[in-house]
Amino acid sequence: MLHKLRSGLSILGVVFGVAAVVAMSSVGEGARRETLAQIEALGIDTVTVRSRPTDEAALGLRSQDADSVRRVVPGVRAVAPVRLAELEADAGSRSAGVTVVGATPSYREATRLDLARGRFLADLDVSDRKRVAVLGASVAARLFPLGSPLGESVRLGGDWFQVVGVLESRASPRRRGAVVRARDLNRCVIVPLPSLDHGLDAREGGVDEIVFRVSTPEEVVPAAAVARSLLHRATGGASLEVVVPREILRQRERAQRVFNVVTGAVAAISLLVGGIGIMNIMLASVAERTREVGIRRALGARRRDVAAQFLVESSLLT
C-alpha cells in the first residue's frame, strides 16, 4: 500500500502476460474450429473426384462412371455425377450470377442437403429431362425477395426452369485463405443433369466431378483409393483430383500443432517477462526493507517467517 505505483506496474506486467496467453489460445482455438466447420461443410465421410484432363487422349469423367463407382467401390452409400456451369439467373427484372449444378436425386444424400421448402430433384425429372430447378438460399432471396419462389420461372443461360424447391441456408465458406475448398450452395441452382445437354452446357454424358458418400468415416480413405484407380482407367489416364476431407483434416491438424507450439512459446515468453518484472520489484522491496527485516529477526522472527512474508506479498501481486 505504501508503493501503489510500483505495485500497480507489477500487476500490469502480469496482466499483459496472462492476456497474451489467453489471446494466443483463442486464436489457435478459433482457427481449429473454423477448419472443422469447413471439413463439416464437405462432409467427413464424403469423397469428391474432379476431372482435370491433361491431353486430348484423356476422356474425362462421364455420368456412366458414377455407376461404376457404385458397383465397384466398397461401402458406397450414395453417388452422384455433377456438372457445373457459371451462368446468369434472371427472374423478372432481377438477376444474379449463380453456379448451376447439374445433378441427380442422389446428390442430396451424398452432400447432406436440407430443404427449406418444396422438393428436391426426382428420378422422373432426370429421365424426362424436365426443366426444374432447386434454388440456393441466397439465390432465392435475391430473385424473389417478396414472395415464395415455388412455381415461379427462372431463366438460366437462355432456358427457362420452374422452381420446385429451395435449400436451407448454409454457412458460406470463405473464398480466400480457406483451408478446404467448399462450394457455396447458397448461390447455387441445382437442375437435372440431362437438362444441361441442351444449350446450357452441351456435353452429352460429360461431368466435372463425381461425389460419393460412404457408410462410415473409416471407409473414406480406402474407398477413395479404389475410386481413384477405377476412374483413372475409365478416363484413359486423365489427371484426377481426389478431395478426401479426412486427409485434409490430418494435414491441417499437423500444421495446427506447429501453430500451437509457436503461439505457446510466445505466450510463455510473455508470462516469463511478467514474472521477471515481479522478481525485480520484490528484489527492490527486500533491499529497501533491510532495516525492517533486521528488526524482525532481532525480535525472534525465523528465516522462514521473513521468506513467507515476501512470498505472500508477491503471490498477492501475481
Side-chain angles (χ1 to χ4, degrees), residues 31-46:
R32 187 186 68 85
R33 292 191 181 188
E34 181 183 357
T35 300
L36 291 178
Q38 295 172 10
I39 295 292
E40 187 66 24
L42 282 179
I44 197 68
D45 56 357
T46 301

Side-chain angles (χ1 to χ4, degrees), residues 22-103:
V22 174
M24 294 297 179
S25 301
S26 299
V27 169
E29 178 66 12
R32 187 186 68 85
R33 292 191 181 188
E34 181 183 357
T35 300
L36 291 178
Q38 295 172 10
I39 295 292
E40 187 66 24
L42 282 179
I44 197 68
D45 56 357
T46 301
V47 178
T48 302
V49 182
R50 299 190 179 104
S51 175
R52 296 183 300 178
T54 55
D55 52 57
E56 296 181 357
L59 301 176
L61 293 174
R62 305 187 65 80
S63 57
Q64 296 86 342
D65 297 329
D67 297 329
S68 301
V69 171
R70 183 184 296 106
R71 293 192 304 266
V72 176
V73 178
V76 172
R77 180 174 177 178
V79 58
V82 177
R83 189 187 304 175
L84 306 173
E86 295 290 336
L87 299 174
E88 191 78 12
D90 300 304
S93 60
R94 298 181 179 273
S95 62
V98 300
T99 300
V100 177
V101 179

Side-chain angles (χ1 to χ4, degrees), residues 7 29 34 42 53 112-113 132 198 227 261 273 276 281 304:
S7 300
E29 178 66 12
E34 181 183 357
L42 282 179
R112 293 186 179 85
L113 295 180
V132 295
H198 300 280
V261 170
V273 171
I276 292 175
I281 293 298
R304 77 173 83 176

